[in-house]
Structure formats: structure tokens, C-alpha cells
Amino acid sequence: MTETREAADRPAAPEVPGTDLHLELSGEGSLRVRLMHALREAVRSGRLAPGTRLPPYRTLARDLGIARNTVATAYAELVEEGWLSARQGSGTQVAPRGTPPRTAPAHRPRRAERPRVLHDLMPSSPDASSFPRSAWAASARRALATAPNDAFGVGDPRGRPELREALAEYLGRARGVRTEPDRIVVCSGFAHALSLLSGVLRGPLAVESYGLSFHRGLAERAGPRTVPLTVDAHGARVDELPASGAAAVLLTPAHQFPTGGPLHPERRAAVVDWARSHGGLLVEDDYDGEFRYDRQPVGAVQGLDPDRVAYLGSTSKSLSPALRLGWMVLPGPLTEEVLAAKGPREMWSGVVDQLTLADFLACGAYDRHLRRMRQHYRRRRDLVVRTLAERAPHIRVSGIAAGLHAVLELPPGTEESALRAARRAGLALDGLHAYRHPDSAMAPRDGLVISYGTPPDHGFAAALDTLCDVLPKAP
């Protein structure tokens, strides 16, 4: 005990910060006894896992407001009991044998088993394994090294000026968008942008008869009712807009989702004429406009009339949906309304990711990544077409001139049985029925929507084999 007092009286050595530890010294007995009881319970319950490093005794004593000798003695006794271990230079840790095996609850309710997924062909994301980690990390380092101090203060709801300037240059050069940085608002993806825009629209929103129900739900929760427009081989029938009573229309002009194909040039001009004559707004979803394979890229409709088109884009298909980065290019009068709806400060998109994307665009890494991925996805698309031509020639493949997905057209009445067969085989994909607007007057179509962007390279061929096995057989 004399040695302990002498150690306590020596000048304190510089402390190594330890783990924050929440302990309640309740119950009876001395502070040492209560502290030992609290530590045992933390280990026994699993709150302190084996190998967890405990704070230095001086730090814990200060946090708990008790004497250092009390904590040092408690640690020493728990080491003797086998609850803790202590080695010179390694501090005090929870001993491996300090945690007894846990027992399962006696009456744990059984969870509904999810269908096993062996191959993911859902049209939801790009090839995650192709994310440009090294180039993105290099941009992040440069962005952090050169970022001004104000970047780490309260965020501007418009988004960082570095990113808005880089986007204005890129979108004008690559997508034909006409804008200035002040008319760009950064958001956390397309869904966030659509929610904000829908909240300021006054009147119904026309949508394509085939599209994402998730997007329709977002719009309707924000206020406007959605009305469907017929979709054919040339895109949405925009001649139905005047009779729809819509105040705005949401379209995917570069590559209709999910049926495929661009909006016909005459219809592109017609929808802009409707917006001008009726005081309407076109909301342009350019979700995969960079990925064109068999013809020249289709520019953004926004370039025809920046005052009547709200252009929406994101990194969800070009880079990764995990980044949660998107943008709106807005008509002037709409910008302040959207910013008012968004709030006085940025609460959605992280500054570091914004600065990194700005550098990624400015240094040319984004262009290089897109060129590489266009070749990658084109090879996959060609393999899909070739495989189906060999093994299921009776199935027509459409919507493949662009993007990351294809539609397999099925004989009438066979979609549901094909989906059941896919689930049994561990294949995740979608049917066309899931995308049809419930109020659409169009006759339902049978088909499967498959992604050739999602699976990793090593599993792609096996996914196609499984797909061919579950398709309806030729008549």
C-alpha cells in the first residue's frame, strides 16, 4: 500500500486519452466496491467486450470524481479476479475470459425469412466494385488541403460555390445545359430534389405512365397529385398535357425509365412550347444521360428553354448512390422558392463530399471515369444481348441504346410466373407491372426490367445463366 501512495504522490505523467466509459456507482459499500461491481456488470452484460481498452485510472478517477487510488486498487483487484488484464505499455483491458457466453432469449419471435439473393439484377445502382477509389481519395486530399476555413462553418443551402462552378462548366460542356452557378442548388440526390420541387409546385404533376412509384409517392406526399401520360416508342405523349390540367411534368427525356428510348425531337420541342404557352414547368430527370452506346448523346431539354425547365441530376448512376449528391439547375424565379423550402442552412449534403466532387470534376477524373464505365457497361450490354439471342431468341430486348438496364419483353400473362421462378432461383429483378401508374389508361405490358450495371464482374455470367433459366420457354 505504501508503494501505491508513493505512486499517487508522484507528478502525473502525460496521459494517453482513453475510452469514454459510462458507469453508475450505485448500491451499497465503499466506492471501490461499487466501482468493481459496476465494471463487472459492464463486462458481464457485454457492454465492455473482450479486448476493450479501459481509460487510465487517473482519467477514470477524474471522470467519476473519486480518488485515483480507489480506481487503481479496483483495477488491480479485477485483474487478480481475471476480469481485466494489464500489461506494461498496453494499459488495462477487458480480459478475454471476462465475458461469459450469451444465451438466446427463451421466446425470441421468429423473423420472416427473406428470399435468398444470389444474383442482383435490380436496376438500382451502378457496379459498386468500379467506384474510382484512388482517384476519389486523391481529390479528397486536394480538396481538404485547399479548402478555405469558411467551408467548415455553417453550410450554404445553395451548396459550396466550388461545386456549383464545376457543375456549371461540366453540365454546359457535356449535357448542353445553359446555366450559371447561382442557379444551381446542391441537394442529397434526385429524391431530395424532387421532394423540394414538389413542395413548391401549384397544381397536378404529370408523369410518365411507366416510372418509379417511389418518385410518384415522393411528389404526392409533398402535395401535388400525379396524372399519367401515355408512353410509346417515342417517349411520353406530351400532346396529352393540355387536357391533363397539370402545372408541371416530370420526364426522363434522354432515356425513358424503364421502357428505354429518348423523347422524340418533335416532342422535346412540343413540351417546351406547352410550358411556355401554359406557364408550366418541365422537370427533367437526367439520371443516366452520360451513358450512350449506339448513337450520339442526347442533350438536355433544358438547353431549349432554361426559364421553363428544372434540370435534375445526381451521382447515383455515374459514381455511387452512397455519395448522396445531386443538383438542381433551376429557372431564376424558382430558385429562391426552392431555397426557402430547403431551409436557411445546409443539413443534407456534407461539405467534404461536395469539395471532393468539385475537384473530381475540375481535374478531369469524372470524364475519365465515365469514358471507362461506358466501355465497361457496353461490354456487359453486348453480353446480355448475345446471351439472350443464343439461349432465348424468342425474348425481345429493348431500351439498350443507353443506360444501365434493359427490358425483356415477355409473352402476355407470363410476367408473374417469371418473377416467381426468379425468386426461387435467388435472382433479384423487377417486372414492368411494378412501374405502371395505377391510373394509367395504357394496356399493361408483361416484361422484366434487368440491370447489367449492378452485378460484380465475377458473378455477371452466372447471373445471366440463371436469368435464361427462369425465362418463359418459347411457344
Side-chain angles (χ1 to χ4, degrees):
M1 202 62 174
T2 302
E3 291 181 354
T4 304
R5 285 200 192 94
E6 289 175 355
D9 291 336
R10 295 191 194 110
E15 292 187 15
V16 178
T19 305
D20 282 342
L21 192 57
H22 173 71
L23 295 172
E24 293 185 5
L25 306 188
S26 57
E28 300 179 352
S30 66
L31 284 173
R32 178 183 59 79
V33 169
R34 283 182 276 164
L35 174 58
M36 292 175 63
H37 174 75
L39 286 168
R40 287 192 200 97
E41 285 303 308
V43 174
R44 187 181 290 117
S45 67
R47 284 201 303 116
L48 291 179
T52 300
R53 185 174 180 179
L54 299 185
Y57 70 86
R58 292 186 181 89
T59 302
L60 185 58
R62 186 173 60 246
D63 290 346
L64 296 176
I66 61 179
R68 289 179 292 173
N69 281 347
T70 300
V71 179
T73 304
Y75 274 11
E77 291 191 31
L78 290 173
V79 168
E80 290 294 326
E81 293 178 8
W83 292 92
L84 306 180
S85 63
R87 288 188 302 169
Q88 186 69 30
S90 298
T92 305
Q93 300 177 350
V94 177
R97 59 179 178 170
T99 302
R102 298 184 185 182
T103 57
H107 301 289
R108 177 178 293 173
R110 294 186 62 185
R111 295 180 181 178
E113 292 187 4
R114 295 181 179 179
R116 62 193 180 105
V117 175
L118 301 177
H119 306 291
D120 186 0
L121 293 179
M122 294 290 288
S124 55
S125 66
D127 178 6
S129 66
S130 295
F131 184 82
R133 300 174 189 233
S134 297
W136 185 261
S139 284
R141 287 192 296 271
R142 285 192 298 268
L144 286 170
T146 59
N149 291 336
D150 68 0
F152 302 99
V154 176
D156 184 344
R158 292 178 183 269
R160 285 299 303 173
E162 299 91 338
L163 178 55
R164 290 186 284 114
E165 289 169 9
L167 283 170
E169 187 280 330
Y170 170 76
L171 294 174
R173 169 172 54 81
R175 302 297 300 128
V177 171
R178 295 159 52 195
T179 190
E180 299 294 331
D182 287 346
R183 290 172 66 169
I184 296 177
V185 176
V186 176
C187 50
S188 67
F190 177 85
H192 184 208
L194 182 60
S195 296
L196 291 170
L197 269 177
S198 299
V200 301
L201 294 179
R202 299 170 182 85
L205 174 68
V207 297
E208 296 157 330
S209 276
Y210 279 88
L212 282 172
S213 60
F214 172 62
H215 290 167
R216 295 194 295 266
L218 283 174
E220 291 177 346
R221 282 193 293 275
R225 173 176 60 91
T226 62
V227 292
L229 302 176
T230 303
V231 174
D232 61 22
H234 299 299
R237 290 279 305 274
V238 297
D239 57 311
E240 298 174 357
L241 279 170
S244 70
V249 57
L250 170 62
L251 298 178
T252 50
H255 186 219
Q256 202 286 321
F257 187 85
T259 62
L263 188 65
H264 192 278
E266 291 182 3
R267 296 185 183 180
R268 291 162 65 92
V271 71
V272 172
D273 289 342
W274 166 82
R276 290 169 178 164
S277 60
H278 289 75
L281 176 74
L282 165 60
V283 181
E284 180 174 10
D285 178 4
D286 196 30
Y287 68 101
D288 66 356
E290 293 98 343
F291 296 116
R292 310 293 303 181
Y293 310 124
D294 297 330
R295 52 175 173 263
Q296 290 298 314
V298 178
V301 178
Q302 190 268 0
L304 299 178
D305 193 339
D307 293 327
R308 288 295 171 189
V309 181
Y311 174 92
L312 277 55
S314 79
T315 60
S316 65
K317 295 294 187 290
S318 59
L319 285 168
S320 167
L323 290 179
R324 305 313 310 147
L325 281 174
W327 46 86
M328 293 179 274
V329 179
L330 299 170
L334 200 57
T335 306
E336 294 305 321
E337 290 187 65
V338 169
L339 286 171
K342 192 178 183 190
R345 59 177 63 190
E346 179 58 71
M347 298 186 295
W348 308 95
S349 301
V351 164
V352 174
D353 280 346
Q354 290 188 50
L355 293 172
T356 302
L357 180 58
D359 182 272
F360 201 71
L361 287 161
C363 75
Y366 191 69
D367 290 84
R368 291 191 292 274
H369 172 71
L370 288 177
R371 284 195 294 272
R372 181 171 64 88
M373 296 312 294
R374 270 194 292 269
Q375 297 174 356
H376 176 64
Y377 293 135
R378 181 170 186 161
R379 286 194 295 269
R380 287 193 170 193
R381 190 238 12 207
D382 291 347
L383 181 58
V384 170
V385 173
R386 189 164 61 249
T387 301
L388 289 171
E390 293 171 356
R391 297 188 52 185
H394 57 291
I395 302 295
R396 181 174 178 268
V397 186
S398 62
I400 55 173
L404 309 180
H405 75 277
V407 175
L408 311 187
E409 300 182 19
L410 302 182
T414 62
E415 179 180 311
E416 188 54 41
S417 61
L419 289 172
R420 286 197 300 269
R423 285 192 291 269
R424 288 194 298 269
L427 186 64
L429 42 74
D430 262 344
L432 267 180
H433 285 193
Y435 296 94
R436 184 175 177 273
H437 195 293
D439 298 332
S440 174
M442 292 181 62
R445 296 171 51 186
D446 282 72
L448 300 177
V449 184
I450 66 162
S451 168
Y452 46 84
T454 307
D457 280 340
H458 66 269
F460 190 52
L464 291 184
D465 284 341
T466 306
L467 173 66
C468 291
D469 289 339
V470 304
L471 290 174
K473 304 304 178 186

